[in-house]
Amino acid sequence: MQGCEVSTRLRYRLTLASGMLECLCFAGVVFGFASLMFVLKEDGYFSYLCATVPGTNGTLTITDCSGQDEQFSLVFTITSFLNNFLCLVNGYLFDRFGTLVTRLVAICLYTTGTLLVAFSSAVVKVANLFAAHRSTVITLYNGAFDSSAAVFFLIKVLHEQGVSLRSSFLVLSSCSIIHLLRTLLLMPRTHIPYPLPQYYTYGLDCGQANTYNLEQFERMRNGGMTESQETSGKDVSQAPEEGTDAQDSKTVESFRSCVLSWFFLWHMMWLSIMQLRHYLFIGTLNPMLNRLADNDPNLVSQYTNAFAMTQLCGVLCAPWNGLLMDRHKGKPLAPGETEQEVDLRSSSLSLFLTSLQCLLFSVCASVPFLPLQYLTFILQVLNRSFLYGGNAAFISMAFPACHFGKLYGLVMSVSAVISLLQYPCFALVKGALGGDPFFMDIALTLVTLLAFIHPVYVYIYCKKVAHHRKDNTQTEVTNGFIMAEAKL
């Protein structure tokens, strides 16, 4: 038993570490689009949309590439939309078929996408393995997801050293073998349950005697018995259900009631507003830098590199949000207090700080002063690492785990539809606003204020629950005294 337990713990750590590497190197490369856009421009993508127009003095000519910038903005809009919208499909596949099928589909899509670029010229359940640090692991993975934007920065640096875009993407395609091996060796076939059963394992078996495998768990979840318990006559129908906090299945909220709850609706607005702000910033970063740097390619490259380097810090920033949410773990609960109530109270502070970061980031991004953009880059990566980690952690806290995949996919899909507004915003800046995004930035900053509604609502809800619990406790004590006096 001891050898099996050691092997199981080692497998948990290998799953965590390999998942971190996977997120860091592959998961969120789309957010490094500013670096890739620089390379694509040098390789002449959409260069036919550039036009030579007369200068202001009538003798010199300048090259106007606003059409090229608009096309790249459209590419990023479509990419970022699909990146989030397909989470709905991904969530359904995960809840219906489990980890193996979902990852195999993702690997096929990833390999196809990288090959298409080469020849043109996502994980949260792992946190259940570490219950005491569940939110920290979720945010750590999301931070690694953010930092993977630096992959396109690396491609940009290699391109400047003579490595072709095709070679870089062929290497990315070949890395799919790593994802396949991890899927088969270090991930379960279906789901990782929560709470985690003792000696739960997956992948390569370490022996049947003391191994709590998924097949046994599924039989217990459905009210059946394991083989050893069938022979001893012991019923295990009271074992904790997969993805629930040992609650009876009849008490689990329906998916419809979760979607129609104020928690979900405010959370969806909270994510959608801030994500739109980030996507518009990333998609217009290159033209914005060109405008502020007077089209100096060296200066634009310098600031693009600085932006890409700050993306690496996402994996360092995100765990702070998880530690903020997990700060109550291990502490005794007050009488009548539930784990979910404590989780929600902790999340309200995280949600507020994330909204405040986005407001500060949007204000800095609105100021047309080039050196200030260094601070903008820092606030952007800090806010984005808090945003996506907090999003996944809040859904896992506020709603039943059996609906996590569908709810996460739905909120990401709806926010993806909202993110489509970035393209008309870009077109408005290029057209009616004459290329100056100042008034658009001010409008988005004002819209960002709406994100504060969500943390305020969660805080008020927690205060009401605590007050109700206190009143119930006082009532029970009073009733106890009355009954005691009656007996006397």
Side-chain angles (χ1 to χ4, degrees), residues 296-459:
D296 183 345
N298 294 326
L299 199 55
V300 172
S301 178
Q302 173 187 328
Y303 275 85
T304 302
N305 291 348
F307 174 73
M309 290 299 294
T310 57
Q311 304 308 297
L312 283 171
C313 299
V315 70
L316 303 177
C317 300
W320 291 103
N321 192 22
L323 293 173
L324 190 66
M325 291 184 170
D326 284 337
R327 66 186 187 276
H328 68 278
K329 297 293 186 182
K331 297 181 180 179
L333 301 176
E337 190 176 42
T338 64
E339 187 75 21
Q340 185 187 41
E341 180 185 343
V342 178
D343 286 339
L344 289 174
R345 189 168 63 245
S346 299
S347 71
S348 63
L349 178 58
S350 169
L351 296 171
F352 175 80
L353 289 177
T354 305
S355 303
L356 181 61
Q357 292 165 2
C358 187
L359 179 63
L360 295 175
F361 151 65
S362 187
V363 169
C364 290
S366 303
V367 180
F369 182 57
L370 190 58
L372 183 63
Q373 301 314 307
Y374 287 121
L375 177 59
T376 304
F377 297 160
I378 295 172
L379 290 172
Q380 190 270 340
V381 72
L382 176 64
N383 181 234
R384 201 179 74 202
S385 62
F386 268 59
L387 177 63
Y388 289 111
N391 169 47
F394 179 81
I395 293 176
S396 69
M397 291 176 179
F399 304 104
C402 58
H403 300 314
F404 176 83
K406 295 184 289 292
L407 289 172
Y408 183 82
L410 181 59
V411 75
M412 294 300 287
S413 298
V414 173
S415 66
V417 174
I418 302 299
S419 71
L420 290 175
L421 292 174
Q422 63 183 293
Y423 185 70
C425 288
F426 181 82
L428 181 62
V429 170
K430 285 295 181 182
L433 298 180
D436 187 354
F438 179 75
F439 291 106
M440 179 63 68
D441 289 335
I442 294 298
L444 289 172
T445 301
L446 294 176
V447 172
T448 301
L449 294 174
L450 296 175
F452 286 93
I453 296 177
H454 184 36
V456 171
Y457 178 81
V458 174
Y459 176 78

Side-chain angles (χ1 to χ4, degrees), residues 59-75:
T59 57
L60 298 177
T61 59
I62 59 175
T63 302
D64 179 17
C65 289
S66 59
Q68 183 188 36
D69 291 337
E70 186 173 355
Q71 195 68 23
F72 278 122
S73 177
L74 179 60
V75 170

Side-chain angles (χ1 to χ4, degrees), residues 112-429:
T112 303
T114 51
L115 287 174
L116 286 174
V117 176
F119 290 105
S120 68
S121 40
V123 164
V124 176
K125 284 290 184 179
V126 174
N128 291 347
L129 299 176
F130 306 89
H133 307 286
R134 195 174 179 219
S135 296
T136 304
V137 173
I138 290 174
T139 54
L140 184 65
Y141 267 39
N142 279 271
F145 175 86
D146 291 339
S147 294
S148 64
V151 170
F152 281 166
F153 166 64
L154 179 61
I155 290 177
K156 175 180 177 292
V157 172
L158 292 175
H159 187 270
E160 291 172 347
Q161 301 300 317
V163 178
S164 68
L165 191 66
R166 172 181 292 189
S167 299
S168 297
F169 273 86
L170 284 176
V171 171
L172 287 178
S173 298
S174 64
C175 288
S176 295
I177 188 65
I178 300 175
H179 310 318
L180 185 61
L181 290 175
R182 181 171 183 265
T183 300
L184 298 177
L185 301 179
L186 292 175
M187 294 298 291
R189 186 172 59 85
T190 54
H191 304 90
I192 298 176
Y194 183 80
L196 198 69
Q198 189 177 21
Y199 305 130
Y200 170 77
T201 188
Y202 47 86
L204 298 178
D205 291 337
C206 63
Q208 294 295 325
N210 298 300
T211 299
Y212 195 108
N213 60 41
L214 190 59
E215 286 72 20
Q216 291 175 327
F217 188 83
E218 290 291 341
R219 296 180 66 186
M220 292 172 61
R221 187 168 71 94
N222 294 321
M225 293 182 286
T226 62
E227 293 179 4
S228 59
Q229 288 162 330
E230 285 176 349
T231 57
S232 62
K234 295 180 180 179
D235 189 357
V236 292
S237 60
Q238 300 300 318
E241 292 190 339
E242 176 182 323
T244 67
D245 295 330
Q247 57 186 348
D248 191 275
S249 60
K250 295 182 180 178
T251 65
V252 177
E253 296 178 76
S254 67
F255 176 70
R256 183 175 182 272
S257 64
C258 292
V259 172
L260 295 179
S261 67
W262 284 110
F263 269 165
F264 185 79
L265 296 176
W266 288 129
H267 184 71
M268 187 166 56
M269 185 190 72
W270 177 83
L271 176 67
S272 300
I273 290 174
M274 289 190 280
Q275 182 172 263
L276 174 63
R277 187 67 187 97
H278 280 275
Y279 278 1
L280 190 62
F281 177 77
I282 296 172
T284 60
L285 179 62
N286 186 266
M288 184 266 285
L289 292 178
N290 273 292
R291 182 174 56 85
L292 296 180
D294 294 327
N295 293 308
D296 183 345
N298 294 326
L299 199 55
V300 172
S301 178
Q302 173 187 328
Y303 275 85
T304 302
N305 291 348
F307 174 73
M309 290 299 294
T310 57
Q311 304 308 297
L312 283 171
C313 299
V315 70
L316 303 177
C317 300
W320 291 103
N321 192 22
L323 293 173
L324 190 66
M325 291 184 170
D326 284 337
R327 66 186 187 276
H328 68 278
K329 297 293 186 182
K331 297 181 180 179
L333 301 176
E337 190 176 42
T338 64
E339 187 75 21
Q340 185 187 41
E341 180 185 343
V342 178
D343 286 339
L344 289 174
R345 189 168 63 245
S346 299
S347 71
S348 63
L349 178 58
S350 169
L351 296 171
F352 175 80
L353 289 177
T354 305
S355 303
L356 181 61
Q357 292 165 2
C358 187
L359 179 63
L360 295 175
F361 151 65
S362 187
V363 169
C364 290
S366 303
V367 180
F369 182 57
L370 190 58
L372 183 63
Q373 301 314 307
Y374 287 121
L375 177 59
T376 304
F377 297 160
I378 295 172
L379 290 172
Q380 190 270 340
V381 72
L382 176 64
N383 181 234
R384 201 179 74 202
S385 62
F386 268 59
L387 177 63
Y388 289 111
N391 169 47
F394 179 81
I395 293 176
S396 69
M397 291 176 179
F399 304 104
C402 58
H403 300 314
F404 176 83
K406 295 184 289 292
L407 289 172
Y408 183 82
L410 181 59
V411 75
M412 294 300 287
S413 298
V414 173
S415 66
V417 174
I418 302 299
S419 71
L420 290 175
L421 292 174
Q422 63 183 293
Y423 185 70
C425 288
F426 181 82
L428 181 62
V429 170

